[in-house]
Amino acid sequence: MAPSIRACLAPVFITSIFANLIHAATVTYDFNITWVQANPDTAFERKVIGINGQWPIPTITVNLGDRLVINVNNQIDQDTSLHFHGLFQKGTTHMDGPDGVTQCPIIPGSSFTYNFTVDQPGTYWYHSHSKGQYPDGLRGPFIVLDPENPFVDQFDEELVLTFSDWYHDQMPKLLADFMSVTNPTGAEPVPNSALMNDTQNLTIPVQPGKTYMFRMINMGAFAAQYVWFEGHTMRIVEVDGVYTEPTEADMIYMTAAQRYSVLVTTKNDTSANFAIVGSMDQDLFDAIPEGLNPNVTSYLLYNESKELPTPAFVDEFDPFDDMTLAPEDGLDLFDNVDYSFNLDLKMDNLGDGANYAFFNDITYVHTKVPTLFTALSSGKDAENVAIYGSNTNSFVLNKNDIVEIVLNNNDPGKHPFHLHGHNFQLVVRSEDEAGAYGNNATGLPRKPMRRDTVLVRPNGHIVLRFKADNPGIWLFHCHIEWHVASGLIATMIEAPRELQETLHVPEDHYAACRAAGVPTEGNAAGNTVDFLDLTGENKSPDLLPAGFTAKGIVALVFSVLAAFLGMAVIAWYGAAPITSGELAASQRRVEESSVVEK
Amino acid sequence: MVNVFAVPVFFICFRECLETAIIVSILLAFLKQTLGPDRDPIVYKKLVRQVWYGVLAGVFIVAVVVAGMIGAFYGMGRNTFGNTENIWEGVFGLIACIIITLMGAALLRVAKLQDKWRVKLARALATKDEPKASSGGYLKRLMEKYAMFWLPFITVLREGLEAAVFIGGVGLAFPANAFPLPVVCGVLAGVLVGWLIYRGASFGSMQIFLIISTCFLYLVAAGLFSKAVGNFEADKWNRAIGGDAAETGSGPGSYDIRQSVWHVNCCNPELNGGGGWGVFNSLFGWTNSATYGTVISYNLYWLVVIVAFVTMRYRETTGRWPLLRTKNRDEVHRDSESNSTHSEQAKKDIGEKTSANVREIRD
């Protein structure tokens, strides 16, 4: 069944009505978060989280420089929040969205307002940042139109093309199964299907001989997707909100949360239609369920009277390497690093038997006081990293320092890392199995690519640099939603003293905290008197006991004693002389058998 | 070295063979000491043959099943036994444990009899014809008559299948020509230990040999009982995590933390043949990952054994079961001997003969 073209493309075609607006405006959205029934892969109807009774949720479209006001009213039975992925939120770190970090949850039945200025162009997306919630549907495109777009003359029309994996089960259940003693290997739930624009087999009418800009977004929970347009070459002009030198690519590997804008010029004849294919990277899946179709197809529809092609089988994926891109603005490599630190990633089990993810042997656990409020309420102690808790992987950054993150992936999986509040330069990325970074890389790119979400390869490493010019609390985490749940998160505390002086958090935020019963003062443990006293803070489960514990020793001693006692009794019995009764019994047996014989 | 000698395969063969060799050699030594070729050669031969028939029958069935497994693996491309491995290992372990336990006590009791009576008893058991008794008695007699057959048979069956599965597990890592040598060496090493036990039994008193070897049998049986419980638990855990926990080696995830009493990430008796830990496991039931179930069952087993032997001794000396009121002795006998087909007259005869025996001992 082909979905209705009109219904699916209505929010996708963005005409130039906004382009005339040169002066900054205020764009207001009223978002009621509601449950909606949906069946996007025509295989299973389920409850999804929609907005204003609609799903897919609306695309947020603003012009560069606009003020955006979103009035959220939570009408579902779960806490929620909204994060605007890729936006720097300069001066508005409290609008970034992560529940428990820069704000309190929007509890069921309550309201919350996001209000900030958008001063960066490009392709973004927005999603819930509460407890692995967005894969249940609360994620949508966020487009910032730019009249000054350097490529504005090179395309005729722009379209949004979202990619996503899709689960038939609800996230709360999947998360419970995932973070469980019965999932000791930490095998991530495998999606049931893949979607494009939250549907499948979408047809996109195109005109011959024109150029289209596709704003492609992977809004998935887990799966990266290989993306290609059959019979067409893509010209990459933007990644994650950063304009790039136009670069040709036949196939793109787009991790969860990455975005690419590509120019595609259509053919001059309309004799055939062409497939657009998204193919989930099955390397990520622990076991591939029978009957899983990892692919999703859409079509460039040149001619309605022609049939839709079946995509050709691809033997080997050979995607474009985003390290080779160059930013259009030509920003040089930050070569004087002020602060460099390592994040060593590993996966392991803790004492509750579940599988956790670690940076430097610490798995992230939410604090009692959202980190932003700890920074704001701690006075001079704000620069002491200890107050932010021992399970948050916090790093305090000085204003305008050049910060370098060296991430060593000691795990055989691929991970897409995302930094809030910034984009970063991709300085080094190793191949698979390269091991830890040896600090000896030569030939660093002079004008490295910048983006906000980057792939690190299995057992490889990446080196990222950014300038700490945005005071705020910014998470750095893997954008596989399962790994957010298992704690693969670090916290950047950027210029907290300046934050205390400049940031004004609106009353609305405090109201949300009061409603949720979350304190807004104190250290990670909620201690407002002694910020260095973290007694009672939230901690991860203990490590698995290594070897023998007291109960193990007791059990072993008892077992050995039981065996020796048992053998002593056997020896005693065996050595005891025979009694007359025994003899009689034996004799009787002999007699008895002879009776039978006779 | 690895190309012609797969070390894990050696250890697997050695440990599985060792357990069989211990049981077979103890049985053979027992027969030699109690009956001996010089006392009743016919019965002796018959019982020795039973032991070997048990071994051969076990080997034969293992060969057939393993051939079937290999066929299924290559024919249908799947490991047919993999899913149920823990279940059948547990069941076999439990059966072997029960047989060893019963036979151990029987051997010990028989050993106390004088030569003459042992020979008579053995002859009576070995020559007993198809009984016309009730079905319960029939089964018991079948077990008694072929007692020397069942233990080696079930032991070989269990060890053989276990070896096949273990070798299958590690086997893919090695080339085909790395197998014959370690298999032969492992089996020879096991047989050597068995032969030493058999020879060792010729020295010294038979009673001491039997006490020591019975202790050994009970150690093995206690380990088997605990291991069987462990197998059933492992099966449940495998089902809970939806896969083979052994894939995770001996580290986290290979066991259910909620049930764990101790766990060391080493010394796994099953991983890669287990090495010395595998031998340790075969003899004493060692495990690197003990659960409440395995620890309690191990201790419970010994408790039952202790209570049983004390009770037996109590009854032998007092003629009644502990905690029961004194009964008529005939009734007591009827309770203990389930086949109560003999007539009152026969009982009286025995009563007379008993006193005769007591005198005989005093001579």
Side-chain angles (χ1 to χ4, degrees), chain A residues 214-288:
Chain A
F214 288 92
R215 295 181 181 271
M216 305 197 297
I217 307 169
N218 186 342
M219 316 190 298
F222 177 24
Q225 294 204 27
Y226 296 95
V227 177
W228 65 96
F229 289 68
E230 285 198 337
H232 296 72
T233 300
M234 297 172 273
R235 258 187 306 151
I236 301 167
V237 294
E238 179 223 325
V239 291
D240 298 357
V242 178
Y243 293 123
T244 67
E245 299 290 348
T247 309
E248 290 200 345
D250 291 320
M251 180 187 282
I252 287 174
Y253 183 82
M254 196 158 50
T255 72
Q258 284 187 330
R259 291 90 65 206
Y260 282 85
S261 285
V262 297
L263 302 182
V264 174
T265 301
T266 51
K267 297 184 182 301
N268 285 323
D269 70 289
T270 59
S271 59
N273 300 316
F274 291 88
I276 308 171
V277 188
S279 181
M280 295 194 288
D281 178 4
Q282 298 190 77
D283 287 356
L284 298 164
F285 303 158
D286 179 66
I288 295 162

Side-chain angles (χ1 to χ4, degrees), chain B residues 19 30 49 145 158 202 216 220 236 356:
Chain B
E19 221 170 296
F30 170 78
R49 230 179 275 139
K145 186 171 174 186
R158 192 176 59 77
S202 313
F216 241 100
V220 170
K236 200 175 140 210

Side-chain angles (χ1 to χ4, degrees), chain A residues 518-555:
Chain A
V518 175
T520 51
E521 284 187 343
N523 63 12
N527 192 328
T528 53
V529 182
D530 180 0
F531 272 78
L532 295 174
D533 178 7
L534 286 152
T535 312
E537 68 169 330
N538 295 337
K539 304 268 284 177
S540 56
D542 288 338
L543 293 171
L544 274 175
F548 282 94
T549 56
K551 76 176 169 182
I553 291 168
V554 168

Side-chain angles (χ1 to χ4, degrees), chain B residues 95-343:
Chain B
I95 293 174
C97 166
I98 292 168
I99 294 182
I100 292 176
T101 306
L102 295 178
M103 278 204 69
L107 295 190
L108 213 49
R109 289 176 67 173
V110 170
K112 291 193 205 179
L113 292 172
Q114 276 198 323
D115 286 359
K116 182 172 139 192
W117 281 102
R118 278 202 296 267
V119 175
K120 279 185 182 173
L121 192 61
R123 191 184 293 140
L125 281 176
T127 56
K128 202 153 48 177
D129 282 332
E130 290 296 304
K132 299 162 191 85
S134 61
S135 60
Y138 172 75
L139 199 66
K140 190 181 173 196
R141 282 185 208 201
L142 204 64
M143 290 301 291
E144 278 179 351
K145 186 171 174 186
Y146 299 110
M148 293 294 154
F149 172 86
W150 291 114
L151 188 52
F153 173 71
I154 196 80
T155 305
V156 170
L157 203 60
R158 192 176 59 77
E159 306 287 347
L161 290 179
E162 205 172 82
V165 169
F166 283 172
I167 291 175
V170 301
L172 296 175
F174 298 98
N177 60 0
F179 282 85
L181 204 55
V183 168
V184 171
C185 290
V187 171
L188 282 182
V191 169
L192 179 69
V193 173
W195 184 77
L196 288 175
I197 292 173
Y198 180 75
R199 292 295 306 182
S202 313
F203 303 104
S205 119
M206 197 208 45
Q207 202 170 23
I208 288 173
F209 164 74
L210 264 176
I211 288 171
I212 293 173
S213 59
T214 309
C215 285
F216 241 100
L217 286 182
Y218 276 87
L219 276 175
V220 170
L224 280 175
F225 186 61
S226 163
K227 223 157 69 172
V229 170
N231 280 130
F232 294 135
E233 287 182 337
D235 181 73
K236 200 175 140 210
W237 176 240
N238 276 347
R239 275 169 218 285
I241 67 167
D244 188 356
E247 273 174 27
T248 51
S250 45
S254 62
Y255 63 103
D256 187 347
I257 179 71
R258 295 168 298 187
Q259 302 295 329
S260 182
V261 174
W262 76 69
H263 183 93
V264 283
N265 290 346
C266 72
C267 324
N268 187 328
E270 304 209 343
L271 208 63
N272 273 325
W277 296 107
V279 177
F280 203 27
N281 166 271
S282 292
L283 297 187
F284 306 117
W286 159 255
T287 172
N288 68 313
S289 190
T291 62
Y292 289 106
T294 53
V295 168
I296 290 171
S297 58
Y298 188 83
N299 285 282
L300 200 65
Y301 176 85
W302 281 114
L303 189 68
V304 167
V305 165
I306 290 167
V307 168
F309 273 107
V310 169
T311 307
M312 278 183 345
R313 185 69 198 154
Y314 181 88
R315 183 173 169 268
E316 283 166 19
T317 48
T318 65
R320 62 188 176 91
W321 298 110
L323 307 178
L324 288 181
R325 282 173 198 286
T326 316
K327 282 186 180 178
N328 177 307
R329 265 186 94 147
D330 286 346
E331 273 178 322
V332 172
H333 282 147
R334 191 179 297 150
D335 287 347
S336 61
E337 303 291 326
S338 62
N339 47 359
S340 50
T341 52
H342 47 267
S343 65

Side-chain angles (χ1 to χ4, degrees), chain A residues 3 41 45-46 103 114 155 170 254 356 491 499 549 552 578:
Chain A
D41 60 0
E45 181 169 307
R46 54 160 288 178
Q103 68 167 79
Y114 292 97
F155 59 90
Q170 302 281 329
M254 196 158 50
Y356 287 82
T491 316
L499 208 54
T549 56
I578 195 155

Side-chain angles (χ1 to χ4, degrees), chain A residues 102-105 107 112 370 373 507-520:
Chain A
T102 60
Q103 68 167 79
C104 296
I107 64 165
F112 192 91
F373 294 119
E507 167 54 26
D508 186 47
H509 278 55
Y510 292 104
C513 294
R514 278 195 301 276
V518 175
T520 51

Side-chain angles (χ1 to χ4, degrees), chain B residues 20-148:
Chain B
T20 313
I22 288 174
I23 283 170
V24 168
S25 61
I26 288 176
L27 289 183
L28 290 178
F30 170 78
L31 290 178
K32 191 179 174 199
Q33 296 265 331
T34 51
L35 300 171
D38 47 332
R39 295 196 185 90
D40 189 336
I42 296 165
V43 174
Y44 173 69
K45 261 190 188 158
K46 197 165 176 172
L47 291 177
V48 167
R49 230 179 275 139
Q50 263 191 26
V51 172
W52 290 112
Y53 283 156
V55 172
L56 290 178
V59 168
F60 176 74
I61 290 181
V62 166
V64 169
V65 172
V66 168
M69 270 163 69
I70 293 173
F73 183 77
Y74 287 106
M76 296 184 276
R78 63 200 160 98
N79 185 351
T80 356
F81 274 78
N83 292 334
T84 52
E85 183 192 328
N86 276 306
I87 291 287
W88 63 253
E89 264 187 50
V91 169
F92 278 154
L94 216 52
I95 293 174
C97 166
I98 292 168
I99 294 182
I100 292 176
T101 306
L102 295 178
M103 278 204 69
L107 295 190
L108 213 49
R109 289 176 67 173
V110 170
K112 291 193 205 179
L113 292 172
Q114 276 198 323
D115 286 359
K116 182 172 139 192
W117 281 102
R118 278 202 296 267
V119 175
K120 279 185 182 173
L121 192 61
R123 191 184 293 140
L125 281 176
T127 56
K128 202 153 48 177
D129 282 332
E130 290 296 304
K132 299 162 191 85
S134 61
S135 60
Y138 172 75
L139 199 66
K140 190 181 173 196
R141 282 185 208 201
L142 204 64
M143 290 301 291
E144 278 179 351
K145 186 171 174 186
Y146 299 110
M148 293 294 154

